[in-house]
Amino acid sequence: MSEFIEWLSKYLGIEKNPTATIIVSITVFSLGIIINESLKTLGKFRERKIIREIVRRNYLIFQNYLIEQAESLRNFESLVTTKSSPNFNDHVRPCSALDNYKDISYNNSFKAFFVGFENIRVWGKNKRIEAFDNLYHSLSTIRIEQERMFPIVASFPDQAIKIMDRLNVSLKDAFEATADVNMKLHEQSLNQAEKGWLNLRSEFYEDCFAEGEPEDLNKIKNYFLSVIDFEITDKRPLTLIMDEKEFFYYHRKVHKAIGDIDVLNKLVKNTKTYCKTISEKFEVTAQELTTNFKPLFNQKIRNS
């Protein structure tokens, strides 16, 4: 070392002591930079490792949520009928992982998986990129579906109640109107043909209510349709108790009940179809996350 100092002092044209001082200063400064940069690198390495673990844990939370929510939506769909309105809060819930990933940020996640010496890969790099893209595509898709799902599914009970209230009134009016026709015709002096017509008309009611009040509103709808078709085909007996204007308003009451049944059926059908579609989408997304777990985290999937 002394020989190096002597050579350097001669080369620089200065005395040995100042030369030694310069060497010590440069060495200390360089060591400071090396240590500082090493600590920074180690800190960033630890930060990336922690973020990868947070991403992994939330990945499993997200995947499990999709599986459970798909099952809950199937249960909700099975309970949606024209007679029942399941509780939305018992079957649909938010996913904490969606908010957690938002807090982590895409940029930090990207650095955790693709920046640093520990992320250098000779094989499987493209699959890891695909798995990473799939994760954030899935997060975006499910977040959008959740924003749509909550108002659609949550609004079903309220919409069903409103329609049912309207339907109860229209059914009451329609049944009273059809019963009035039956009662008024029985008060008339009918010939054999008219009696036969009235008996045939009564059979529609008997068929519909043979086992008590139908659980299926479509049976009631079919009853009303049969009565209307029958009366339009041959309305001569009705001319004994009403004119054309009264006939029109009478049938309008029956059509109102049919229309309200159709509205309720449409709401039920749309809600059930939506639940089934979203449930299937959640299941497919969960399967894709399972497939892409190993390429992204370099380990087999397991619960955290």
Side-chain angles (χ1 to χ4, degrees), residues 33-54:
I33 291 175
I34 292 171
I35 292 172
N36 185 54
E37 291 301 317
S38 296
L39 290 173
K40 284 183 179 180
T41 301
L42 180 61
K44 290 179 179 178
F45 168 79
R46 292 183 62 188
E47 181 182 356
R48 291 193 299 269
K49 184 178 179 181
I50 291 171
I51 290 176
R52 282 196 301 272
E53 179 59 19
I54 294 173

Side-chain angles (χ1 to χ4, degrees), residues 85-101:
S85 299
N87 189 339
F88 158 79
N89 293 317
D90 292 342
H91 297 85
V92 179
R93 62 182 180 84
C95 178
S96 61
L98 293 177
D99 292 329
N100 294 340
Y101 275 117

Side-chain angles (χ1 to χ4, degrees), residues 106 114 128-139 296:
Y106 179 90
F114 300 103
R128 193 178 211 192
I129 292 173
E130 290 173 3
F132 187 82
D133 286 343
N134 177 73
L135 169 60
Y136 274 88
H137 173 73
S138 299
L139 289 169
L296 185 59

